[in-house]
Amino acid sequence: MTQQILIAVLVLGALGIFFAVVLYIVAQKFKVVEDPLIDEVAEVLPGANCGGCGKAGCRAFAEACVSQGNMEGLRCAPGGDAVMAKIGQLLGCAVEQGEPQVAVVRCNPANCGDKRKSNYDGLRSCAFQNTVYTGESGCPFGCLGCGDCVAACQFDAIHMGENGVPVVDADKCTACGACAKACPRRVIELRNKGKKDRRVYVSCVNKEKGAVAMKSCANACIGCGKCAKVCPMEAITVEGNLSYIDYKKCIACRKCVTECPTKAIKDVGFPTPAVKPAPKPAEAPAAEKVEVPVAEKVEVKN
Amino acid sequence: MNLLNISGSPHVHSDESTKKIMWRVNAALVPALLVAIAYFGINALLVSIISVASCVLFQWLIEKYILKTPTTVGDGSAVVTGLLLAFNVPATVDMMWIVVIGALFAIGVAKMSFGGLGKNPFNPAIAGRIFLLISFPVQMTTWPQVGGLFPMNFDLATGATPLGAFKEGALPTDVTFMDAFLGHIGGSMGEVSALAILLGAAYLCWKKIITWHIPVTFIGTAFVFSGILWLIDPTAYMDPVMTILTGGIMLGACFMATDMVTSPMAKSGQLIFGFGCGLLTIVIRNWGAYPEGVSFAILIMNSVTPLLNRWCKPKRFAN
Amino acid sequence: MKTFRMGGVHPEENKISNDAAIEVMPVGKQMVVLMNQHLGAPATPIVQKGDKVKVGQLIGEAQTFMCANVHSPVSGTVTKVEPCKDAFGLAKPAVWINVEGDEWMETIDRTPDIKRECTLEPKEIVAKLKEMGIVGLGGATFPAHIKYSIPEGKKAEYLIINAAECEPYLTSDYRVMMEHAEEVCIGVSILRKALGVPNAYIGIESNKPLAIAKMQEMAKQFEGIIVEPLKVKYPQGAEKQLINAVTGRRVGSGKLPIDSGCVVSNLGTAFAVYEAIQKNKPLIENILTVTGKELPSQHNYIVRIGTTYNEIISHSIGQLPETTGKVISGGTMMGKAVVNLDAPTVKGNSSVLVIGEKEARRAPETNCIRCGKCASACPMGLEPYLFSLLVKNNRVEEAKAHNILDCIECGCCFFSCPANKPLTDEIRLGKNKVRAMMAAKK
């Protein structure tokens, strides 16, 4: 009995020592020498591997930082200034402060939904639908509504809205840009969050002539240029029947919002005006001074 | 007028559906079920009903309350699992409650925990059977003997299967090939009659649900391998014809190894799969602890299926 | 009977418009002629607002390599040169013409006489194909003059004419064979001469026995035309499959038919070639089928290119039935669903196919049960189920390694899938992703 136990112990012990030696030799032989700094930088990063920086993942971003030695052209959007500052400390270099950004869906949901002109019955993929035809709304530029952006988001920050157009949750959005890349029609853009989270943007990307664009969407930008004329900062340019607000110049005065004849320009984050939440059409002229389209106010989060 | 539908081509479908396939498999199992009822009487009927009902019920419960997804019991796959599970147990009174546990394991563990139909790596019925065999070895090997036709009593005489008897010592001399072919032998309720199983398999082949590759290689390999052993020593090994007619080889080869989900897709992979099943069955039967090895063989080959899918590619048109 | 070597399916044939003789569709009041009616870059408009044009006059010129001439299908005044939305709602450059009378170019021979003799040299034939804007009418609208200019170092050995018409519903090729067998044979002879090959093979699926008999009868009067009956199996008329069926050769991965010494043209193209070479008539007309189980009547028409879908529908059946679910340009297997019925037809349109709501709707997708039916139906020997997984998970490299680019998009995989997975859609998406990846690497 004792002998059996002894044999078992010896055999197992010998095996253990043998494998330990093998493992040691292998570990020594195939040792990968790596800058410990990479580990430290990777530790600081959010670790979501969103790819927003253009690298394959957080580790690749850390490697790029360390091998480059400075932070030029490298930015971790989800981490924001806090993470960037930490990396700067580790690397001992200066870090540019970036304005916090957020993803903005530049398509107006008001027209879609029940006003569909066809019924898309194929693969639920925007990238594919885009190769088949214009999409259900008939607008060859607008959102297709299959949710490629929703699938691309690592932060659960973008969801399909009721009208089949995605809605961004600004609190969760890290501006990694994955949704903008996933959108085959480039409807989504990264814009500065703005002071107090107040933003004004043209919620349309249709470059068709006004009359044509209006056929597929009542809220299309028709490129009339009224907004550009009224803008005190010259932040608005109209190009190819489509106006664009430069978020770096915009001071969110909202003059363009009231001027826009098709309500294609949206303002987000402004306090709801003091008028009743749903004024009757008859009362509307009375509220002229503070005329802000009430329907647009619903989506404060966008 | 309606809105125009838009999609990529093609704009027609063959009308083939998972539901149709599964119900056709059920139809193909009917002959074997009838034979089981004929030989084992009311027991067989009750065990089958309980097994099918509990499989369907468990799937419905899991989908409704745990996964919270729309139910898919209508596709008939739970019925297939239930029938095959019943076919894999002896038709005794004990089985009427034991089979419920088997059904829970088959549906709950082997199927739904992987994501339901199409995602399970192992054939649920086989997993259920093996679970029962290990958990209830006595009840699972108490085989009712075939008496007359349509016995209505619950307590049938029990005895060994030809395989079990052979493992113990020698093959009972009174079992003829014809008995084994028609099913006049002891065994699990669905496996006894080779004829009924082949009828069902022929129907499946006709409906293009299974192809010849797996059943033929499975049975062929078992026949050849056991034949070689038998030629070496006819006293120690069973003769090849009896080998393929008794036990679960027919049932396994025609209905369980051919399960679409758990068998390889390419024809070459299916040939390897069938070969492996046949070989392992004979190995387990002759040198394993159990008299029967079909279900273990299929289970082992199931686990190899993903590899076979990787290695065995269909012939490319343009290579 | 000959057929291709692997895969294939057999959808319901539905050739219900077989017996409808070809009618002439009257010309509408306004015509919109798109400038890209072919594979490749759009033609450049060479007319301006206010110009008078005649039938058959060149209005869009091919200025790049992969391009084809576009001619006016009507006579009248150009009202504008502006984009027009095509059948899929996308704006394409176009010439808008107000129809005035029906004045043809003097060069076009409009007599009904059939001219057999062709004295042109091969090079002249190809030049004339280019001048007349001939493109392949089998669906891909590949410019014919490029196809018939055999590149240096390659040699054509076979000319194969695709008259399989393996798509369900379509009957335009069948009607052309029944009514214009002689012209088709002359067209084939011309193409044979252009390539300098000994024999031309006309592949016809055996579900058209009358057409086979007629063509065989006619082919006897011509040198080197062989009619080849083919098994009824989709996609018998796909280029690579047809080559395989007729010659036994296989076109390699990423290769063109000419690499295997074959040139494949559609039967409709052969007819257009006859008219272009012998009658000087540019490609300004389509022969198309108006069909569908829901329709009160079935038709085959000869239609001026640029006629809108709505005009065709209102002339043939008045209006679409209430139960319409889908309007398809082409057959049910590879045709394209049309969304904009105000769009003009283009070269290569072969049908206006109307499908009922019930048939048109795809059944909901369920789990893949790994039955492998898609793989056994694939005529290219690929694994559609695998592509579906790889594309969904963005494993583009692997998809490429499994030859996703060999897919001919015939639709057999979706057709045979019991789980109703949109496999063909997924593969198309995957091919796009692979191409994007390859472009990014360059």
Side-chain angles (χ1 to χ4, degrees), chain C residues 2 158 160 201 242-250 260 262:
Chain C
K2 289 186 171 179
Y158 290 92
I160 302 168
Y201 297 81
L242 189 65
I243 290 172
N244 185 238
V246 173
T247 70
R249 296 185 182 191
R250 280 188 282 154
S260 303
C262 299

Side-chain angles (χ1 to χ4, degrees), chain C residues 422-437:
Chain C
L423 293 165
T424 319
D425 292 2
E426 280 164 343
I427 296 175
R428 282 200 191 99
L429 177 62
K431 285 170 79 175
N432 288 343
K433 284 185 178 178
V434 169
R435 291 203 189 101
M437 178 193 76

Side-chain angles (χ1 to χ4, degrees), chain A:
Chain A
M1 185 71 188
T2 0
Q3 203 186 0
Q4 278 171 344
I5 292 171
L6 200 66
I7 290 171
V9 168
L10 284 177
V11 168
L12 286 176
L15 275 175
I17 291 166
F18 172 73
F19 284 122
V21 170
V22 170
L23 277 177
Y24 176 78
I25 294 169
V26 171
Q28 285 301 315
K29 188 151 183 170
F30 296 102
K31 198 172 182 180
V32 180
V33 189
E34 206 177 40
D35 195 335
L37 204 54
I38 295 176
D39 276 329
E40 282 175 52
V41 175
E43 192 78 5
V44 177
L45 291 169
N49 293 319
C50 67
C53 52
K55 301 284 179 281
C58 291
R59 178 105 199 146
F61 179 77
E63 279 166 17
C65 289
V66 172
S67 67
Q68 198 174 310
N70 60 44
M71 298 299 293
E72 255 166 59
L74 292 168
R75 181 168 173 83
C76 174
D81 285 339
V83 166
M84 291 300 286
K86 276 187 203 162
I87 301 174
Q89 265 178 2
L90 285 170
L91 297 177
C93 66
V95 175
E96 274 178 58
Q97 292 287 312
E99 186 91 20
Q101 288 194 318
V102 69
V104 170
V105 182
R106 293 179 296 169
C107 184
N108 212 322
N111 186 61
C112 302
D114 53 337
K115 288 188 190 167
R116 294 180 308 157
K117 293 180 183 64
S118 59
N119 172 42
Y120 178 64
D121 195 23
L123 177 67
R124 301 306 295 172
S125 153
C126 305
F128 177 70
Q129 196 188 346
N130 191 30
T131 63
V132 177
Y133 77 129
T134 51
E136 292 181 335
S137 68
C139 173
F141 291 89
C143 173
L144 289 162
C146 281
D148 279 13
C149 50
V150 177
C153 183
Q154 305 261 342
F155 302 96
D156 193 33
I158 187 163
H159 297 280
M160 265 302 148
E162 280 170 29
N163 302 299
V165 171
V167 178
V168 178
D169 183 341
D171 297 336
K172 287 185 184 166
C173 180
T174 60
C176 70
C179 51
K181 263 184 222 159
C183 180
R185 292 191 161 175
R186 301 280 172 268
V187 171
I188 304 179
E189 185 199 13
L190 293 182
R191 295 177 72 92
N192 281 354
K193 265 193 166 172
K195 279 178 195 161
K196 295 189 196 166
D197 269 358
R198 290 176 178 180
R199 301 182 284 285
V200 178
Y201 62 95
V202 181
S203 185
C204 182
V205 287
N206 191 319
K207 286 187 175 168
E208 289 173 318
K209 280 189 180 169
V212 185
M214 286 286 279
K215 263 189 198 168
S216 42
C217 176
N219 294 112
C221 171
I222 53 173
C224 64
K226 279 186 178 175
C227 49
K229 275 179 204 141
V230 83
C231 180
M233 301 305 292
E234 294 185 341
I236 304 182
T237 46
V238 181
E239 203 179 299
N241 302 315
L242 178 65
S243 86
Y244 177 79
I245 304 176
D246 186 345
Y247 52 79
K248 284 175 191 152
K249 291 182 187 161
C250 176
I251 52 166
C253 67
R254 289 196 286 167
K255 279 190 181 144
C256 51
V257 180
T258 39
E259 196 64 31
C260 182
T262 56
K263 293 176 182 167
I265 302 183
K266 268 193 174 187
D267 52 348
V268 166
F270 294 90
T272 320
V275 287
K276 286 175 195 168
K280 286 170 196 165
E283 289 174 20
E288 211 165 353
K289 275 179 201 165
V290 278
E291 197 190 310
V292 172
V294 175
E296 316 293 335
K297 297 277 92 196
V298 184
E299 256 183 16
V300 182
K301 277 197 166 172
N302 196 337

